Amino acid sequence: MRITKKIGVTFSLVVFSLFLLNSANVFASSVSSKIGPIDVSGMSKKEKNIEVRKIVDGWQKNDIAIQVGGDEFTVPGSAFNFDSQRSVEALEKLQQKPWYDFWSKTPAAQTDLIVHATDQLRTAVENRIGKDELEEKMDELLVQAGQLPNRPLKLTVDRFDFKDGKVVSTAVVPLKQSEIEVLTAYAKQVNGKVMKPESEFSYMKHFGVPHTVRVGSLMATVLYQNALSSGFEIIERHQALTIPNYADAGYEAVIKTGKNQDLKFTSTHRANVKIQAIVEKNHLIVSFYVAKGDRTDDVRVYAEGEKLVEAKEINRYSKELEVGHEEVVQQPKNGLVVEIYRQITSKESGREKSIVSSNYYAPKHKVILKSMARPQPEPEEPVVDEEIPSVDEEPVAPESEEPPVMEEENEDLSELPNRPTADQLENAELVYSEDDDSYYYIYTIDKEKGEGQK
């Protein structure tokens, strides 16, 4: 009998010890019990309600900043309606055990702090993002608020109508009549595309091989200009060889699949960017949009260092052209050197200036095609011998000019036949001959020596 009583007492002591040990374990394990960010470990239900209400009231005394993309606005903390009682009840339900399971540990548990949006909050958010994603984004916002953060709440807008957004940049290029149909199809492919932050766009991956180099370059050009004006990072871009007729020099982007020339850029915007592309009145118009209220940086794109490269004249020759004929087969067009710069001003980084591209456009020289044939020389006129006057006749000097006065020189005439005497030379007459452009002395000699000797 005594042994039975001892066994009963011993069993009771063991059970009581286990109960005490279990109670200690319960309090030790309850450290991880939380409602939102609020630690309620080891508290009774009443204590939990008091603790949650106290911390929530402290958070609601502040203005709460909300960022939608890059835009930031504030609402009062009272715009968030917290339900502390239901939050505590939700945690209690997670930790509830059967009555007979008194010796097991109280399970660790954590639940969200239940919060609802007031009309004031809904209106403030709707004014920034529109109605398209309002419900989805309100849920996202309330989950963040349930953590009672001491930093701004952040929202990203994935979908919005163009009418609910704002334009960041726009670019336009003219189209030929033959290009309208194909570029209308291209515009439909990219219209409505959303670029997420840090996402990369590749022309070749999005559109594939263009119908022609010009068609591909027209679409690439308006996308490139928007990327420049939006402050995006340009990864790959190729210029034209000569100044294009559809864009200012330095602002075009050329697509050549044979040479693997692509257009690539990365969105550096804080929020999503939506692309609008339409064809209207023989023009391709592409714009980049962001959600209403989204803050954007101030971006300025400009050209500097323009230098003219003058065209030259090049002659080419052809056997096909007639003698003396020529044709201009290429009109001249001057080339250009130009640099494109971009200046971005933001609240975080201040003002930053960088060079985007250095562009050289070769001149188109004037090309003249000339005949290789040469004109035949004119036949020479036959030489007619003029009658030489006889010795007895005195050559007459031209009437138009007087013979120049020549100084007499003492010539050595000792070796000449019938050489004149000094008296004869002194009395001789100096006469100019037009036939052989020479001057002669005319003198008289004795009869036995002949008449009219020179």
Side-chain angles (χ1 to χ4, degrees), residues 297-314:
D297 295 334
D298 179 31
V299 181
R300 176 173 170 250
V301 182
Y302 56 95
E304 272 190 4
E306 291 190 10
K307 294 181 181 178
L308 191 68
V309 182
E310 292 187 1
K312 299 179 180 179
E313 188 173 294
I314 298 175

Side-chain angles (χ1 to χ4, degrees), residues 22 25-26 29-34 48 91-98 101 104-110:
N22 178 68
N25 289 336
V26 167
S29 64
S30 61
V31 173
S32 60
S33 297
K34 289 184 176 181
K48 291 174 184 176
L91 180 64
E92 292 280 319
K93 187 175 182 179
L94 290 174
Q95 295 180 316
Q96 188 177 5
K97 301 185 301 179
D101 191 18
S104 66
K105 297 179 180 180
T106 300
Q110 182 169 351

Side-chain angles (χ1 to χ4, degrees), residues 286-326:
V286 173
S287 301
F288 282 10
Y289 280 75
V290 294
K292 186 185 298 182
D294 189 3
R295 180 168 56 85
T296 57
D297 295 334
D298 179 31
V299 181
R300 176 173 170 250
V301 182
Y302 56 95
E304 272 190 4
E306 291 190 10
K307 294 181 181 178
L308 191 68
V309 182
E310 292 187 1
K312 299 179 180 179
E313 188 173 294
I314 298 175
N315 294 326
R316 294 179 179 174
Y317 296 89
S318 171
K319 297 179 180 179
E320 307 298 327
L321 293 180
E322 297 180 1
V323 176
H325 285 213
E326 63 181 40

Side-chain angles (χ1 to χ4, degrees), residues 38-301:
I38 305 171
D39 187 358
V40 291
S41 304
M43 298 182 184
S44 66
K45 184 176 181 179
K46 182 178 180 180
E47 291 171 334
K48 291 174 184 176
N49 274 296
I50 294 173
E51 180 69 9
V52 171
R53 190 68 260 170
K54 180 182 72 175
I55 294 177
V56 167
D57 287 345
W59 188 82
Q60 286 186 306
K61 289 179 180 179
N62 302 302
D63 286 337
I64 309 303
I66 301 175
Q67 290 181 351
V68 179
D71 182 40
E72 183 173 299
F73 63 98
T74 60
V75 295
S78 58
F80 296 88
N81 185 11
F82 292 90
D83 193 335
S84 302
Q85 184 175 348
R86 284 186 59 195
S87 300
V88 171
E89 291 175 353
L91 180 64
E92 292 280 319
K93 187 175 182 179
L94 290 174
Q95 295 180 316
Q96 188 177 5
K97 301 185 301 179
W99 66 269
Y100 53 82
D101 191 18
F102 61 88
W103 60 81
S104 66
K105 297 179 180 180
T106 300
Q110 182 169 351
T111 186
D112 293 332
L113 184 57
I114 299 173
V115 56
H116 302 286
T118 63
D119 291 341
Q120 180 184 12
L121 178 62
R122 293 178 64 88
T123 301
V125 174
E126 183 179 342
N127 289 339
R128 268 73 182 181
I129 69 172
K131 295 181 179 180
D132 192 35
E133 293 183 279
L134 180 60
E135 296 304 323
E136 177 184 345
K137 294 305 174 183
M138 286 305 304
D139 291 342
E140 179 183 327
L141 188 65
L142 295 177
V143 168
Q144 294 182 55
Q147 296 300 315
L148 304 177
N150 56 3
R151 53 174 175 74
L153 308 179
K154 295 184 178 181
L155 290 178
T156 58
V157 182
D158 298 325
R159 302 182 303 276
F160 57 88
D161 293 334
F162 290 117
K163 62 180 178 61
D164 294 327
K166 69 176 181 179
V167 178
V168 178
S169 60
T170 298
V172 182
V173 292
L175 303 181
K176 299 177 181 178
Q177 190 65 34
S178 58
E179 298 166 343
I180 293 177
E181 182 177 354
V182 63
L183 278 165
T184 298
Y186 273 41
K188 291 179 179 178
Q189 289 184 43
V190 75
N191 187 51
K193 176 178 175 57
V194 174
M195 289 194 64
K196 297 183 178 296
E198 305 303 324
S199 64
E200 180 181 299
F201 179 89
S202 165
Y203 181 98
M204 293 300 297
K205 287 182 179 179
H206 190 85
F207 292 103
V209 179
H211 287 64
T212 64
V213 171
R214 177 179 166 85
V215 165
S217 299
L218 288 170
M219 177 59 79
T221 292
V222 288
L223 289 170
Y224 173 63
Q225 291 180 11
N226 276 283
L228 275 181
S229 299
S230 298
F232 287 7
E233 178 186 359
I234 308 301
I235 300 174
E236 180 180 350
R237 170 258 176 184
H238 302 274
Q239 67 159 90
L241 296 178
T242 58
I243 301 174
N245 59 5
Y246 52 84
D248 292 337
Y251 292 89
E252 83 287 356
V254 174
I255 300 295
K256 289 185 179 180
T257 55
K259 295 185 178 181
N260 198 28
Q261 293 184 354
D262 197 1
L263 170 67
K264 296 179 181 179
F265 52 82
T266 299
S267 172
T268 55
H269 200 62
R270 304 170 187 82
N272 293 337
V273 174
K274 191 172 183 178
I275 301 175
Q276 183 187 62
I278 58 173
V279 172
E280 187 176 273
K281 296 181 179 179
N282 291 10
H283 288 83
L284 173 62
I285 307 171
V286 173
S287 301
F288 282 10
Y289 280 75
V290 294
K292 186 185 298 182
D294 189 3
R295 180 168 56 85
T296 57
D297 295 334
D298 179 31
V299 181
R300 176 173 170 250
V301 182

Side-chain angles (χ1 to χ4, degrees), residues 19 118 430:
F19 175 77
T118 63
L430 183 64

Side-chain angles (χ1 to χ4, degrees), residues 394-412:
E394 288 187 3
V396 181
E399 296 181 359
S400 59
E401 58 180 315
E402 295 292 332
V405 178
M406 302 291 291
E407 294 184 1
E408 295 186 9
E409 297 182 4
N410 294 325
E411 298 182 43
D412 185 6

